[in-house]
Each structure stands twice: as structure tokens, then as C-alpha cells.
Amino acid sequence: MASITTFLCIALVSFTVVQVAVSSDPDILTDYVLPPNTTVDANYFTYTGVRSIVNSTYPTNFTVVKASLKEFPGLLGQSVSYAILEFPVGSLNPLHIHPRATELLFVIAGSLQVGFVDTTNTLFSQKLETGDMFVFPKGLVHFQYNSNATEPALAVSAFGSASAGTQSIANSVFNSTIYEGILAESFKTSADVVEKIESGLKS
């Protein structure tokens, strides 16, 4: 009896792990999902928040214009979202992860140096030109950098979730309330160095 119970427990846990591993946004059983007290017409499925970048000049700093669930409620249940990435000369989208989605990046103008690090600490880096695409697997640390000294760059990223989430590595580590001694020991450095990094991120 014990062995059958153990087997069933293992099977249940295995099934749960597999479900979590393959899941992103949950599948819906209707054509679309409406928040409570929402009137549906074509406006619900329309997002105009990206108009601001059409025929505009590049910003002075790296800028993201998002079309995710937070900005566009019509994405609820649709398992997709976008981000428009504007890279002035020499700008960087710093190290970050998307915990809930894979990212597929398409370079519309200019060029980008991009890369991600997998769980074996292997760096996969590539120089992308206009028209190129690159995939960043879900949950892995990655970056995009416009190393061109004269030309800005523009890219569009598609995500396999209406709410991919973005977690900055630097801010999560150094702008949190993690004890400085733990950070110093983790990075094999001194508390003074940790304080300088924290100060730089806050300025």
C-alpha cells in the first residue's frame, strides 16, 4: 500500500512539474476574456499607445514603449504582448529577465549587439543588423546594446505572454533590502564596493 501511495505522489508531483514547465498564460475556453463590467466593441481590441513614436525623434536615453496587459486590457487571455525598443547611440537595455515569457526581437532599424546567458553560464551573443531576429529563452538573463557610434536603433519584441514581466538584475540585487554583507560575500568583494554600486543605481 505504501509503495502505491508513494508512486501516486510521485506521479502527481511529476504531472504538476510538467504542467508548470509547459505553461505560460492559461488557455481560455472562450473567444476572448472581458474584465467585469466591460462593454465590448472594436475599441476594446485596439491599442493606440504606440502612436507616440511614429515620426518622432529618438529619445536621449534607452526607452521602452509597452503594449502588455497593463497598458492594453484587450490582451487578457491572449498570451501575447509587444514592446517597442528605442536605442539612441551607445545606449543599453541592461541585464534583465522576463520570468513569464520568451522574447522574440526583430531589429527594424540600425544594429544591436545582443546576448543571453544560459544555466550553464554560457554566453550566446550576436551582432544583429536591420531585418535580423533573435530569440531570448524565457527566464534567462539577457541584454541588448547599440554599439554604433553614429546611428540609433529600433527594435520590436514579441512575448509569449500578455504579462511577460521584467526583472532588472542590478536593481533586484542592489536596490533591494538584501543585507550588504550577504551581497559582499556573494560577489567576493567588500561592503564599500557594494555601497558604491547601490549609490550609483540610486543616482
Side-chain angles (χ1 to χ4, degrees):
M1 183 67 177
S3 61
I4 295 176
T5 303
T6 302
F7 174 79
L8 290 175
C9 287
I10 292 172
L12 179 60
V13 170
S14 299
F15 177 77
T16 303
V17 169
V18 169
Q19 287 300 104
V20 170
V22 301
S23 295
S24 183
D25 291 357
D27 285 337
I28 59 175
L29 301 176
T30 56
D31 294 335
Y32 45 84
V33 180
L34 294 176
N37 305 315
T38 300
T39 302
V40 62
D41 58 19
N43 290 319
Y44 178 74
F45 302 101
T46 304
Y47 181 64
T48 61
V50 184
R51 289 181 181 177
S52 61
I53 71 168
V54 177
N55 297 323
S56 65
T57 58
Y58 277 88
T60 55
N61 298 309
F62 168 73
T63 302
V64 180
V65 180
K66 294 183 179 180
S68 65
L69 181 60
K70 181 178 179 181
E71 298 80 21
F72 185 10
L75 296 178
L76 182 62
Q78 300 304 318
S79 300
V80 66
S81 58
Y82 272 106
I84 314 301
L85 312 177
E86 299 179 277
F87 294 86
V89 170
S91 62
L92 169 72
N93 187 2
L95 295 171
H96 63 282
I97 65 169
H98 302 294
R100 293 183 290 276
T102 296
E103 175 181 359
L104 181 61
L105 180 137
F106 174 46
V107 181
I108 295 176
S111 61
L112 290 173
Q113 186 73 39
V114 304
F116 70 85
V117 178
D118 71 8
T119 55
T120 68
N121 292 326
T122 300
L123 171 65
F124 296 88
S125 185
Q126 186 67 272
K127 176 71 176 290
L128 303 180
E129 303 293 343
T130 301
D132 291 345
M133 302 180 82
F134 194 85
V135 63
F136 302 95
K138 179 169 66 174
L140 296 185
V141 175
H142 63 281
F143 66 90
Q144 299 109 15
Y145 172 55
N146 180 11
S147 60
N148 193 301
T150 58
E151 296 294 328
L154 181 67
V156 174
S157 285
F159 300 93
S161 169
S163 183
T166 300
Q167 185 175 15
S168 164
I169 301 303
N171 280 327
S172 293
V173 173
F174 293 103
N175 260 350
S176 64
T177 56
I178 299 174
Y179 174 57
E180 289 175 353
I182 293 174
L183 294 176
E185 180 64 25
S186 297
F187 288 94
K188 303 302 180 187
T189 188
S190 67
D192 290 343
V193 171
V194 171
E195 289 176 3
K196 286 180 181 178
I197 295 172
E198 291 173 338
S199 177
L201 288 171
K202 292 173 182 175
S203 61

